[in-house]
């Protein structure tokens, strides 16, 4: 067609008055004319038109019009014209089918076929529909067209022709291969993917022959791919994906094709002998039919039912009547109305009326909510030939392609290549799970000398693979809403991984019969496999994430939210993990084993409306964002892990799984659920979890059908377990009849333990219990984000808001008295620091004397030793009550460094520790005075809104009060005095320097200090100037010596400064060891204290 003939469609301006344009009326005539120009049949042979290639290109242009059309108008027109079966396939057979594999028309046909069979995402399409214009949109026609396209493409010779078009593009050398060749291969591989995606119709014996053909298309596709050598091509691409860049670009596409081919069949059925599979299927169908017959026979009518039965049941027949025959309304109201029911069932003669009424009402019940079956797999009815082909394909894949394809895909996923989509992660999990299960089933039926080696699936035992699986499961768990389908695939993949590790660890080691064999002989392959498996088991336990996933998947299941396949996968994972860990612990693997546990994030306090005060919620403080993740290690024992599954939510999940016992297709399913229930009820003695009315009703239903249950051992074990639980229940009812009432309520929060025979750890005595301290009101604290002085201001503002100004004055009085008391103690030992000091005649280089005279060294060790704890006295009952029960005052006390003597005492005693110097107390007092003059700016908020409650502390339970006249009272007093003595010694030890050197003569040191003070006082008296200032009024600067490098910050002068003789300073390196020891002994270093003479923090200056 010419460019001028191309029809251009434009949306036009959006206007409500513009009439709706019928795209079909515009597009259908030109499309039909182009289809007619492709060619036609002449004498039973298809003849190509003169402009066949141009028409094919025009059809592709028309197809692109559907990109902006939600109704897919062009696709519907193509289906009505039957262009694919009537024109495209004959053109392909006339070109590529006859050897013209490089013909442009064949490539154009393959391109159009791929576009016309592209999968339709119904969920996304329905979301994009317009509510007004697309009301009549019908996608059933499009889905039906795909079935017809698939049937047409499976005609003889079509797939062979497509393979012929593809093969020359791959056969070319790398230098000769063009980009178009790669595109042709890509198009044909996508066409194979599209055909595998189209789902067959379900089998129906009442359908027509054409409908029956559409239920076997997948089997025909498998046979066609095998006959046209597409299967070998897929295996070649998969095995060379890590090494060949050409094949690597199609590894995700090959993964999707394998996923679509194998998801329709179970690995267990494919791993068996396919010749006998038909007879096994027939036997299972006959067994199911026989079971239905037995169930029907138990409920069928007897031979006397032809006589019929009619029974009237009257409720509340004992209505009281007056003696004279008159009715009393009061009696009627008390007894209730009398009602009659008519039953036409003979079973009402032998059974109770309630059961008969339930049978009559059963038909009136609403249909149960539809549950999801499986969103990952599907059931395809493969023929015997197709099953054999898939079995050989799976074996070849395991032997040649499993490890290469997985490694290349995992590498591309980590590199975040554009070709990898979100669904590829799901497909990789499912395909891996499928082939691992097939590997185990196939290996089990192989002979010992021909068993597959575990190296064929070594990629899944790699650390990188396991980390990726766990990360994908975490991401699926964090999504909103949660990606349950991907979680199911991850759970199934972990299950098969655990089963493989268990089989590897159970591999028997080969032992030599030669008693003189060397002990250091090389290990066999089996020994290496077993060692690697035991190491993997240790890593699984230590990581702990797989253990948590198995427990959480069982605990969080909700019927209707997750599919039934998810439920089956969760039960299977828990069963396999517990069995593996049990075997591992019996082999001694659990000795001194630890499991890693991440510290739980602290809960945030609830939001409290403004003005409501302190939130009354006892929750932990929020963690800082930049805080490192804390990981703890706990000792792991199998019994403790098994005890975690004794949980009400796990029991609810198991019962939901057991309730579908009629839908079980394998006895293994019943074995899993019975094993997990046995671990709960028998091994962990948690039978109280099953003392529920709904559970007992389920047990009654199963026991009523005991004779119709299958004859396998798991069903016998189920009946025995139910009898055990029923005996336990009725025995508990005999001991406590109130259990009948409790059976109507859920057994959560540990309530089931009081009805169980569970026993706590009997290893040793129970740890001493701690009870929550409820004697005083809950303490408060200032919220995060405020400085220490601002916190004091907020606490003061809260007291002012409550009208408790006198408590602030009391705090000031305590601080003032303590400061005076401690300053007097220091002055008694070190002398007064208030006298003027004259430094005029003092040599400026004698820095040690200057520092000593200025008092920069702080209180001496002797003065600090004389300072004792200051016990805060209570002058009145109001002060004692506030110090014990006022949370805001207690907060202020703590902010100014007040401490509590004994937290467990009946009355709290506050004291100021001896380590708090007067300078620190003076700083707190200055802050209080400052906020009294200028209150803190709260920006319109209340101070109470800036406080939050602290978590209550736990204290030990008190023993009974001993007799004060007895010997016990004397022992308690001695212990208390000993604790106080140890406490005093501990506080004094903070100021003692532990050294092996001799301390020297203390008296000599004190004499030096007195002489220095006298010299300073004499200088001040002679000059009349302050002893703390120089004559020049400036600070002494440090002079640089020749050896001084310069530019270094001053550190503690006790290390860097020398004695200053000769006007030169020496470094610490020039000082002798005896000089340093002497300074450490005497404490004469002026900068040993971080406080200056005024009690303010010292700021180290940088020397010029």
């Amino acid at each position: 067609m010419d460019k001028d003939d191309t029809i251009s469609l434009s949306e036009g301006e959006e206007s409500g008055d513009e009439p709706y344009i019928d795209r079909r009326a515009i597009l259908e005539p030109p499309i039909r004319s182009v289809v007619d120009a492709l060619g036609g049949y002449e004498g039973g042979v298809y003849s190509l038109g003169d402009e066949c290639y141009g028409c094919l290109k025009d059809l592709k242009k028309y197809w692109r019009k559907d990109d902006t059309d939600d109704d897919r108008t062009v696709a519907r027109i193509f289906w009505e014209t039957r262009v694919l079966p009537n024109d495209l396939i004959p053109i392909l057979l006339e070109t590529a089918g006859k050897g013209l594999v490089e013909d442009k028309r064949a490539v154009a046909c393959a391109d159009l076929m791929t576009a016309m069979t592209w999968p339709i995402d119904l969920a996304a399409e329905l979301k994009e529909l317009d509510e007004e214009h697309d009301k009549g949109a019908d996608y059933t026609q499009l889905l039906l067209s795909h079935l017809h396209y698939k049937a047409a493409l499976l005609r003889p010779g079509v797939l062979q022709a497509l393979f012929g078009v593809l093969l020359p593009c791959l056969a070319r050398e790398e230098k000769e291969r063009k980009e178009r060749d790669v595109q042709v291969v890509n198009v044909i591989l996508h066409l194979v993917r599209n055909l595998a995606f189209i789902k067959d119709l379900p089998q129906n014996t009442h359908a027509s022959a054409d409908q029956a053909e559409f239920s076997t298309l997948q089997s025909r596709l498998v046979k066609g791919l095998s006959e046209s050598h597409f299967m070998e091509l897929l295996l070649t691409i998969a095995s060379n994906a890590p090494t060949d860049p050409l094949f690597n670009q199609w590894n995700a596409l090959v993964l999707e094709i394998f996923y679509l081919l194998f998801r329709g069949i179970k690995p267990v059925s494919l791993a068996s002998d396919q010749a006998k599979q038909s007879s096994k299927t027939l036997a299972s169908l006959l067994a199911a039919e026989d079971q239905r017959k037995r169930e029907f026979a138990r409920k069928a009518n007897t031979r006397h039912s032809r006589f019929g039965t009619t029974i009237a049941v009257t409720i509340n027949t004992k209505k009281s009547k007056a003696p004279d025959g008159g009715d009393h309304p009061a009696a009627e109201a008390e007894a209730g109305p009398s009602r009659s029911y008519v039953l036409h069932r003979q079973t009402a003669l032998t059974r109770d009326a309630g059961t008969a009424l339930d049978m009559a009402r059963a038909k009136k019940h609403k249909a149960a909510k539809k549950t999801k079956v499986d969103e990952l797999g599907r059931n395809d009815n493969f023929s015997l030939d197709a099953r054999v082909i898939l079995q050989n394909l799976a074996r070849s894949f395991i032997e040649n392609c499993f490890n290469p394809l997985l490694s290349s895909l995992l590498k591309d996923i980590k590199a975040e290549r554009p070709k990898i989509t979100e669904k590829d992660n799901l497909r990789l999990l499912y395909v891996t799970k499928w082939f691992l299960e097939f590997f185990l089933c196939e290996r089990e039926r192989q002979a010992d000398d021909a068993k597959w080696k575990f190296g064929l699936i070594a990629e899944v035992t790699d650390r990188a693979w396991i980390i990726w699986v766990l990360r994908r499961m975490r991401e699926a768990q964090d999504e909103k809403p949660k990606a349950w389908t991907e979680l199911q695939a991850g759970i199934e993949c972990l299950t098969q991984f655990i089963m493989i590790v268990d089989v590897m660890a159970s591999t028997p080691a080969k032992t030599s019969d030669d008693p003189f064999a060397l002990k250091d002989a090389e290990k066999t392959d089996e020994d290496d496999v077993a060692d690697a498996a035991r190491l993997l088991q240790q890593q699984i336990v230590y990581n702990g994430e797989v253990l948590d996933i198995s427990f959480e998947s069982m605990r969080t299941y909700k019927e209707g939210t997750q599919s039934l396949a998810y439920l089956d996968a969760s039960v299977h994972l828990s069963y396999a993990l517990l069995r593996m860990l049990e075997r591992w612990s019996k082999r001694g693997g659990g000795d001194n084993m630890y499991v890693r546990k991440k510290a739980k994030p602290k809960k945030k306090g609830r939001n409290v409306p403004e003005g409501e005060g302190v939130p009354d919620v006892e929750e932990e403080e929020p963690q800082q964002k930049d805080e490192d993740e804390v990981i703890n290690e706990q000792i792991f024992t199998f019994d403790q892990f098994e005890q975690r599954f004794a949980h009400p939510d796990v029991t609810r999940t198991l019962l939901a799984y057991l309730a579908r016992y009629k839908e079980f297709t394998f006895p293994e399913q019943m074995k899993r659920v019975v094993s997990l229930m046995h671990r709960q009820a028998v091994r962990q003695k948690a039978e109280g979890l099953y003392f529920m009315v709904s559970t007992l009703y389920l047990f009654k239903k199963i026991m009523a059908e005991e004779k119709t249950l299958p004859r396998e051992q798991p069903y016998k074990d189920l009946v025995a377990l139910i009898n055990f639980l029923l005996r336990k229940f009725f025995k508990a009812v005999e001991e406590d009849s109130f259990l009948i009432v409790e059976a109507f309520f859920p057994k959560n929060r540990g309530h089931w333990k009081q009805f169980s025979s569970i026993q706590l750890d009997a290893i040793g005595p129970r740890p001493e219990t701690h009870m929550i301290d409820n004697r005083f009101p809950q303490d408060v604290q200032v919220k995060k984000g405020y400085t220490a002085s601002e916190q004091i201001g907020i606490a003061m503002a809260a007291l002012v808001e409550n009208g408790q100004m006198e408590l602030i004055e009391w705090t000031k009085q305590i601080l003032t008295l303590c400061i005076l008391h401690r300053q007097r103690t220091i002055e008694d030992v070190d002398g007064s620091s208030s006298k003027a000091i004259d430094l005029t005649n003092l040599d400026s280089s004698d820095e040690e004397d200057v520092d000593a005279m200025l008092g920069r060294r702080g209180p001496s060790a002797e003065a600090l030793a004389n300072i004792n704890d200051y016990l805060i006295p209570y002058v009145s009952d109001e002060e004692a009550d506030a110090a014990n029960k006022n949370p805001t005052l207690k907060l202020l006390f703590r902010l100014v460094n007040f401490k509590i003597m004994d937290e467990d005492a009946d009355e709290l005693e506050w004291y100021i520790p001896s380590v708090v110097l007067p300078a620190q107390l003076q700083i707190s007092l200055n802050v209080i005075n400052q906020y009294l003059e200028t209150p803190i700016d709260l920006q319109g908020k209340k101070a109470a809104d800036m406080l939050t409650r602290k978590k209550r502390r736990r204290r030990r339970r008190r023993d009974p009060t001993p007799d004060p006249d007895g010997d016990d009272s004397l022992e308690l007093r001695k212990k208390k005095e000993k604790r106080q003595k140890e406490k005093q010694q501990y506080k004094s030890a903070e100021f003692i320097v532990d050294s092996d050197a001799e301390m020297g003569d203390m008296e000599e040191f004190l004499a030096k200090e007195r002489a220095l003070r006298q010299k300073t006082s004499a200088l001040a008296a002679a000059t009349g100037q302050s002893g703390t200032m120089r004559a020049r009024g400036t600070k002494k600067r440090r002079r640089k010596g020749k050896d001084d490098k310069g530019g270094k910050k001053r550190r503690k002068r006790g290390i860097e400064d020398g004695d200053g003789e000769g006007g030169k300073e020496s470094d610490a390196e020039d000082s002798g060891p005896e000089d340093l020891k002497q300074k450490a002994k005497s404490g004469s270093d002026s900068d040993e204290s971080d406080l200056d003479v005024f009690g303010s923090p010292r700021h180290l200056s940088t020397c010029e």
Side-chain angles (χ1 to χ4, degrees), residues 451-463:
K451 283 185 181 294
W452 276 343
K453 302 296 183 182
F454 289 100
L456 298 176
I457 45 98
E459 187 66 29
V460 297
T461 61
D462 187 61
R463 181 174 179 269

Side-chain angles (χ1 to χ4, degrees), residues 4 24 290-291 306 337 357 438 446 500 599 686 766 791 800 818 903 929 948:
D4 299 335
R24 187 183 184 87
D290 183 56
Q291 182 178 357
R306 63 181 181 272
L357 289 173
F438 178 81
Q446 290 174 348
I500 282 183
R766 291 183 56 132
Q791 293 183 29
V800 173
C818 185
E903 293 280 357
N929 291 330
T948 180

Side-chain angles (χ1 to χ4, degrees), residues 490-613:
I491 290 173
E492 292 176 345
C493 191
L494 283 179
T495 303
Q496 299 304 320
F497 168 73
I498 288 172
M499 294 177 67
I500 282 183
V501 172
D502 191 18
V503 174
M504 291 170 61
S506 303
T507 303
K510 293 183 179 180
T511 57
S512 176
D513 296 333
D514 185 6
F516 301 101
L518 296 176
K519 294 183 180 180
D520 55 349
E522 295 183 358
K523 292 184 178 180
T524 62
D525 294 341
E526 287 78 6
D527 294 334
D528 295 338
V529 166
D531 292 342
R534 295 185 185 101
L535 180 60
L536 284 173
Q537 288 174 336
Q538 291 179 1
Q539 292 176 349
I540 290 173
V541 173
Y542 178 73
N543 180 268
E545 196 164 357
V546 178
L547 310 183
D548 295 337
I549 288 173
S550 65
F551 174 72
E552 290 297 326
S553 63
M554 291 287 292
R555 189 182 65 84
T556 58
Y557 173 77
K558 292 183 180 179
E559 195 170 2
T561 303
Q562 297 97 334
S563 64
L564 298 180
Y566 179 91
L567 174 61
D568 184 75
S570 300
V571 173
H572 195 183
L573 175 62
S574 300
Y575 169 77
L577 182 62
L578 286 169
R579 188 178 62 171
M580 183 200 74
L581 293 177
E582 186 176 19
R583 294 177 180 176
W584 173 68
S585 61
K586 288 181 179 178
R587 287 193 294 263
D591 297 341
N592 299 324
M593 188 62 197
Y594 289 84
V595 60
R596 188 175 62 175
K597 291 287 185 182
K598 292 182 180 179
K600 294 183 179 180
K602 297 181 179 180
K603 299 179 181 178
K604 295 182 179 179
R606 300 178 186 173
N607 295 328
V608 178
E610 206 171 303
E612 293 291 333

